[in-house]
């Protein structure tokens, strides 16, 4: 089942050997969504590297990640890169890009999402341009799912989830095709 990011979360278990992400607003809630997709949240043999707590209890205005070693990250992009690093395996090359050109393309789109898709109004404004982008591209940045797709999905979700499906498919067919493709990916 998909995690519900409509309100702050606290996941309680032994956190002595894990990083903690503090979230307070919709944008910062993309961070635990990525952590969940990378199987970093929860307990178990392959999980439990990251805990999520509501920032309201820590007095923070935004998001931050505190590593098990005490290192702190406060910028969403640096937190996301750290999450991919914690996931290990093939996630780094797959989600961030296999070479400098791919990494630059992913980075460019991460900045685009941060700059233009931080609110429902922002997503509604850029949705026609995204639809045009998806006429020629299957994914956001690369020829496969990347971190940019995960963040764009999180940004677009509140708009697509409340809009009538028939209207969305008619007005933004390529954006809807991409949305369906991402939500049915094995990472979700």
């Amino acid at each position: 089942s998909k995690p519900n990011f409509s309100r702050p979360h606290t996941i309680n278990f032994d956190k002595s050997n894990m990083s903690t992400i503090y979230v307070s607003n919709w944008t910062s809630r993309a961070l635990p969504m990525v952590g969940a997709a990378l199987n970093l949240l929860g307990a178990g043999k392959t999980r439990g590297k990251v805990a999520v707590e509501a920032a309201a209890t820590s007095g923070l205005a935004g998001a931050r990640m505190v590593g098990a070693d005490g290192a702190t990250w406060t910028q969403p992009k640096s937190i996301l890169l750290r999450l991919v690093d914690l996931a290990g395996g093939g996630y780094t090359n797959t989600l961030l890009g296999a070479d400098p050109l791919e990494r630059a393309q992913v980075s460019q789109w991460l900045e685009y999402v941060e700059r233009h898709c931080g609110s429902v109004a922002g997503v509604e404004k850029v949705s026609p341009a995204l639809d045009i982008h998806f006429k020629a591209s299957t994914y956001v940045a690369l020829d496969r799912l990347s971190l940019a797709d995960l963040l764009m999905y999180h940004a677009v979700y509140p708009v697509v989830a409340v809009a009538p499906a028939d209207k969305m498919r008619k007005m933004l067919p390529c954006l809807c095709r991409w949305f369906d493709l991402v939500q049915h990916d094995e990472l979700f």
Side-chain angles (χ1 to χ4, degrees):
S1 70
K2 293 183 184 176
N4 175 1
F5 294 105
S6 62
R7 55 190 155 81
H9 293 274
T10 301
I11 301 171
N12 295 310
F13 43 90
D14 178 20
K15 295 185 249 180
S16 59
N17 254 349
M18 65 180 63
S19 301
T20 302
I21 299 175
Y22 298 92
V23 297
S24 65
N25 57 39
W26 180 254
T27 303
S28 66
R29 288 196 191 103
L31 303 172
M33 184 269 306
V34 170
L38 298 176
N39 287 318
L40 294 172
L41 300 181
K45 197 175 198 178
T46 61
R47 296 177 175 213
K49 292 184 179 180
V50 177
V52 178
E53 292 186 9
T57 63
S58 64
L60 298 173
R64 74 177 172 137
M65 180 174 172
V66 180
D69 60 357
T72 301
W73 296 265
T74 58
Q75 298 301 312
K77 187 174 177 183
S78 63
I79 294 170
L80 291 166
L81 296 175
R82 180 65 182 138
L83 288 173
V84 174
D85 183 50
L86 283 172
Y91 286 118
T92 301
N93 285 344
T94 300
L95 293 178
L96 299 180
D99 59 44
L101 176 61
E102 286 188 352
R103 285 190 289 280
Q105 290 169 319
V106 171
S107 181
Q108 174 181 305
W109 278 99
L110 292 177
E111 291 173 21
Y112 179 91
V113 172
E114 188 176 348
R115 188 175 310 124
H116 299 289
C117 302
S119 67
V120 169
V123 171
E124 288 173 345
K125 182 177 179 180
V126 299
S127 289
L130 292 173
D131 193 64
I132 291 169
H133 172 75
F134 290 123
K135 282 184 182 180
S137 300
T138 304
Y139 293 100
V140 172
L142 306 176
D143 62 356
R144 63 187 179 280
L145 188 81
S146 71
L147 187 57
D149 291 283
L150 296 179
L151 287 189
M152 184 70 75
Y153 175 88
H154 178 74
V156 170
Y157 182 85
V159 174
V160 173
V162 298
D166 292 340
K167 182 179 178 184
M168 284 294 294
R169 279 191 212 90
K170 184 177 180 181
M171 293 178 60
L172 303 166
C174 300
L175 178 62
C176 289
R177 176 196 43 79
W178 166 83
F179 186 85
D180 286 339
L181 179 68
V182 172
Q183 76 178 353
H184 289 100
D185 190 273
E186 65 185 21
L187 276 176
F188 287 95

